[in-house]
Amino acid sequence: MAPTGDVSLAPLAGEGASHPGKDPRDGTGAAGDGTAPAAGSPGPPGPSTGLAGKGAGGGAGNGGPPPPSSAGGDPGHARASTGGTPTPAPPTRSAPSTPAPAAVEVGAPEREATGQRWCEKVTLSFRNTGGTAVRSGTVTLGTHIIGALGIDWATIGSTRDLPAPIAPGAGTRKSWTVCVDAWRVPWGMHIETRDVSVQWK
């Protein structure tokens, strides 16, 4: 039962008097004079557990709990990324393309009569469809000897120089007067240059 009157605490002479800051209560929680503490007064501190002075974040070297693992850390904290930025592959360089060789296309012969039945004027058109220039070449013409009844009696070949150079994609025209021996074309017969072949380089 708590006391009904006022309680006054006085230090005892001796050990308690030599240490003015020491609590005059003994280990039982009572005052040094045997008087029980007043109701509501804090009791003496309990026995030490050996954890005094160790903070919540103390390391293992101080006997405290280990620090929290990084695997279960605060989700609000940034974490280091384990994946690096991939190094882009160097750009591939394509080999320089080789231009296409020269290629000559020839149009159909354009024929015109002359004052002699064994001669005629022949005009040809040439175009270089390749990727390099035509430097030189030859044109072979095939002239047919046609009889009065339309019979093809013979074909006479002749060669001319190709009108070169011809740049890639360019074209040109050339005319020649083509003749055969007069005796090959008797009266009533004529010639027709129909065949054309070209060689170039």
Side-chain angles (χ1 to χ4, degrees):
M1 181 175 178
T4 59
D6 294 334
V7 178
S8 61
L9 303 178
L12 298 177
E15 181 180 358
S18 61
H19 300 281
K22 185 177 179 182
D23 192 347
R25 302 180 184 86
D26 57 11
T28 62
D33 56 357
T35 305
S41 299
S48 174
T49 59
L51 298 178
K54 297 174 183 177
N62 295 328
S69 172
S70 60
D74 188 351
H77 293 170
R79 299 181 182 179
S81 175
T82 59
T85 302
T87 302
T92 57
R93 296 183 179 179
S94 59
S97 58
T98 302
V104 178
E105 290 184 355
V106 187
E110 301 175 12
R111 301 169 39 248
E112 295 181 26
T114 63
Q116 297 173 320
R117 60 182 182 273
W118 55 88
C119 295
E120 68 179 355
K121 183 179 179 179
V122 179
T123 302
L124 296 175
S125 60
F126 305 90
R127 178 167 295 276
N128 181 6
T129 60
T132 57
V134 176
R135 301 189 305 272
S136 61
T138 57
V139 180
T140 301
L141 304 174
T143 302
H144 296 252
I145 300 175
I146 308 300
L149 299 178
I151 299 175
D152 189 344
W153 291 95
T155 301
I156 308 299
S158 59
T159 302
R160 302 290 190 273
D161 291 333
L162 181 68
I166 306 175
T172 186
R173 289 171 59 89
K174 180 68 175 179
S175 298
W176 297 278
T177 299
V178 180
C179 299
V180 299
D181 295 333
W183 60 268
R184 293 180 178 272
V185 188
W187 185 264
M189 300 177 68
H190 65 279
I191 63 175
E192 295 180 3
T193 302
R194 302 175 179 173
D195 308 326
V196 179
S197 62
V198 180
Q199 293 183 341
W200 65 88
K201 59 182 178 178

